[in-house]
């Protein structure tokens, strides 16, 4: 069995014919931009400013270093870095070495990282020494991967800066049909799913996104979210920015006190945030002194942005709002700059490609009446055909090549989508996705827990928070269970915001735990 599901040959041929898949690779396009925009600034962080030439040289050096350390074409390497310039030299270095980065996020801990390493049989793990008060070197020791590269003080490992380089060594030839990297799925199952993206498909979405979002050499893109997340990476994100010859500015946090200063200093023109961050910015803009006049576009996505808040963006931040409804599996929708204001306020946009196929269906996979709410299924030139090494799950997550998004949507006559809800067992905590089953499995591992169910609780700021309902067989408290999950190395955003105890779970007609009844129970307890 192959590790990932390729596109059917006839469709791949069509995507090439139509000029979507161009044969470009990540490693090569950066070299082209470096030739064109050599002395322009490519990347700015708290400590550094790199021109395109410098970034290109650093990436090549890293590639030679990785190759000299035995990393070969196709090898997986877990990358967990904060928003720093070295993210780019590492990731483009890996691309040029033909290796496959696995994009972890800074909050991930032992539970997630050990799974990524074992499931992908990763040969290396790239970290920063410390970030956000956490020492990643300790985590690296617990995980026990073959090679660890550290940005900063390496401890017992290898410093990124000290990787010996053999510039005479050969870099492998990379094909645009190769696996480029593994992105993370928000997930709805017991273990996180990994998303295989190839150069051809991802670069198509990146190029088109840059075009739709109007990026060019004079654009300045602020990375307010964690850089490895699919939204700031590709919609149009940092890759779109580099492809267009724009400048990237990395923020260490999305809070107004960090981001507003950077917008003013670097004359940022576009950025992408999740709804809670947009709400914070709207509140802060009224009182903060920074000049935000350079900002032309605020993209909001990752979770549903309330219409009232959407209508405030133009008047209060003085820029255009662009709604983005995307997923790391593929399909990305944008509102366009020439869409009427009312449409931008209520819809989550329309797809990138004329060849994005969308189905809106009922419980039996029959198309709903036009304009009715249904399950969104999609396939197209940049939507995966299956998760990485997940043959069994792929049978339920894909049908006839269509990815079952788990989102409930309504299609407007203009082709725009309105996200109306969700059918998957996932909680969207302000853009951070929590798979109910994953957290439940950890809770059930506690000796005092007989059964557990994680449900979403409405929240005016995050949209949703998590509440774990627990049937206990012995004395145990909510704080003890939360501490237990932290000890098991679960990322902080997955730790339940609330824990409620019940004697038994309500069941649906077919004997499944009724999450709807649990949510009603919580509302009754609060009343
Ligand atoms: C409602 N729900 C949304 C929106 C995503 C661009 C933007 C976002 C992501 C992302 C991304 C939503 N309104 N505007 O990868 O390239 C929910 C849906 C979707 C899931 C995907 C990108 N935008 N969502 O959020 O892989 O439920 O990607 O299926 O993290 O987020 O999550 P993720």
């Amino acid at each position: 069995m192959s590790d990932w599901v390729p596109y059917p040959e006839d469709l791949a041929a069509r995507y090439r014919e139509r000029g979507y898949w161009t044969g470009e690779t990540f490693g090569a396009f950066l070299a082209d931009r470096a030739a064109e925009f050599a002395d322009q600034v490519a990347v700015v962080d708290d400590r550094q400013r790199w021109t395109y030439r410098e970034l290109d040289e650093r990436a090549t050096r890293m590639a030679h270093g990785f190759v000299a350390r035995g990393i070969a074409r196709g090898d997986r390497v877990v990358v967990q870095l904060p928003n720093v310039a070295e993210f780019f030299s590492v990731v483009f270095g890996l691309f040029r070495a033909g290796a496959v980065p696995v994009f972890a996020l800074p909050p991930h801990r032992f539970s997630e990282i050990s799974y990524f390493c074992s499931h992908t049989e990763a040969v290396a793990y790239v970290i920063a020494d410390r970030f956000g008060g956490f020492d990643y070197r300790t985590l690296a020791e617990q995980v026990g991967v073959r090679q660890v590269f550290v940005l900063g003080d390496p401890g017992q490992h290898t410093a990124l800066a000290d990787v010996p380089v053999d510039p005479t060594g050969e870099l492998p030839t990379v094909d645009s049909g190769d696996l480029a990297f593994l992105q993370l799925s928000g997930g709805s199952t017991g273990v996180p799913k990994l998303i295989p993206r190839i150069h051809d498909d991802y670069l198509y979405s990146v190029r088109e996104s840059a075009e739709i979002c109007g990026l060019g050499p004079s654009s300045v893109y602020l990375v307010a979210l964690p850089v490895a997340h699919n939204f700031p990476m590709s919609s149009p994100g940092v890759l779109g920015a580099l492809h267009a010859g724009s400048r990237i500015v990395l923020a260490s946090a999305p809070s107004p006190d960090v981001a507003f200063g950077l917008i003013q200093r670097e004359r940022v023109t576009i950025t992408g945030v999740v709804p809670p961050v947009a709400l914070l910015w709207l509140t802060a803009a009224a009182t903060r002194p920074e000049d935000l006049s350079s900002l032309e576009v605020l993209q909001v996505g990752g979770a549903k942005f309330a219409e009232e808040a959407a209508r405030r963006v133009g008047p209060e931040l003085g820029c255009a709002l662009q709604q983005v409804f995307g997923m790391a599996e593929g399909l990305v929708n944008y509102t366009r700059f020439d869409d009427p204001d009312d449409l931008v306020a209520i819809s989550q946009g329309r797809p990138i490609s004329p060849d994005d196929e969308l189905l809106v269906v009922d419980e039996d996979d029959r198309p709903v009446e036009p304009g009715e709410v249904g399950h969104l299924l999609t396939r197209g030139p940049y939507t995966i055909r299956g998760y990485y090494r997940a043959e069994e799950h792929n049978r339920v997550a894909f049908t006839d090549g269509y990815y079952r998004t788990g989102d409930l949507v309504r299609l407007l006559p203009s082709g725009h989508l309105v996200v109306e809800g969700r059918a998957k067992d996932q909680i969207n905590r302000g853009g951070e996705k929590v798979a109910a089953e994953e957290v439940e499995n950890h809770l059930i591992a506690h000796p005092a827990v007989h059964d557990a169910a994680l449900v979403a609780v409405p929240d005016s700021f995050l949209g949703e928070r998590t509440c774990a309902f627990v049937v206990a067989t012995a004395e145990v408290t909510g704080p003890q269970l939360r501490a237990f999950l932290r000890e098991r190395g679960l990322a902080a955003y997955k730790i339940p915001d609330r824990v409620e105890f019940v004697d038994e779970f309500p069941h649906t007609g077919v004997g499944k735990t009724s999450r709807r009844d649990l949510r009603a129970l919580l509302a009754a307890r609060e009343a």
Side-chain angles (χ1 to χ4, degrees), residues 184 186 229-231 234-235 300-305 323-329 332 348 405 407 419 422 424 426 428 431 433:
L184 302 187
H229 186 272
N230 199 61
F231 179 14
S234 67
S235 299
V300 181
K304 178 83 180 248
F305 195 34
Q323 294 221 35
V324 190
F325 164 42
M327 53 206 73
E329 285 82 357
V332 181
Q348 280 65 57
T405 66
D407 293 312
V419 180
R422 194 175 54 226
K424 53 192 165 189
Q426 182 187 81
N428 192 335
K433 316 303 185 314

Side-chain angles (χ1 to χ4, degrees), residues 105 183-187 195 197 202 205 209 225 229-236 273-275 299-305 322-334 347-349 352 376 403-409 418-424 426 428 431-433:
L105 297 172
Q183 186 52 280
L184 302 187
S185 156
I195 296 170
R197 302 294 299 257
Y202 206 71
S205 77
S209 294
L225 301 174
H229 186 272
N230 199 61
F231 179 14
M233 176 162 292
S234 67
S235 299
V273 299
V274 288
Q299 302 182 293
V300 181
K304 178 83 180 248
F305 195 34
Q322 180 175 54
Q323 294 221 35
V324 190
F325 164 42
M327 53 206 73
E329 285 82 357
L331 182 72
V332 181
N333 305 274
Y334 296 99
S347 106
Q348 280 65 57
I352 290 177
L376 175 65
Y403 165 55
R404 312 183 77 93
T405 66
D407 293 312
L408 296 173
V409 302
V418 180
V419 180
E420 296 285 4
R422 194 175 54 226
K424 53 192 165 189
Q426 182 187 81
N428 192 335
E432 288 184 312
K433 316 303 185 314

Side-chain angles (χ1 to χ4, degrees), residues 277-349:
V277 171
L279 291 175
L280 280 179
W281 286 21
L282 283 168
T283 308
T287 51
R288 292 204 59 107
E290 291 89 353
D291 171 13
L292 305 182
S293 62
S294 60
L295 194 63
E296 294 164 8
V297 181
L298 179 71
Q299 302 182 293
V300 181
K304 178 83 180 248
F305 195 34
E307 183 188 339
E308 313 82 74
R311 291 192 187 277
R312 288 172 54 197
V313 169
E316 295 180 33
L317 288 171
C319 62
L321 167 67
Q322 180 175 54
Q323 294 221 35
V324 190
F325 164 42
M327 53 206 73
E329 285 82 357
L331 182 72
V332 181
N333 305 274
Y334 296 99
T335 56
R336 305 303 204 264
F337 298 141
D338 56 2
D339 285 339
D341 287 351
D342 284 335
L343 191 55
V344 175
I346 62 147
S347 106
Q348 280 65 57

Side-chain angles (χ1 to χ4, degrees), residues 122-181:
V123 300
Y125 177 32
V126 184
I127 52 172
D129 50 4
R130 302 182 62 83
F131 175 68
F134 182 73
D135 192 330
Y136 289 86
R137 294 164 298 191
T138 319
L139 177 54
E141 272 137 47
Q142 289 165 349
V143 170
V145 70
R146 211 182 310 159
Q147 300 199 62
V148 179
F149 298 100
V150 186
L151 173 63
D153 175 358
Q156 65 184 75
H157 309 291
T158 308
L160 269 180
D162 294 344
V163 180
V165 173
D166 173 12
T168 60
E170 284 273 302
L171 293 181
T173 307
V174 177
D175 189 271
S176 64
D178 286 353
L179 189 58
F181 55 81

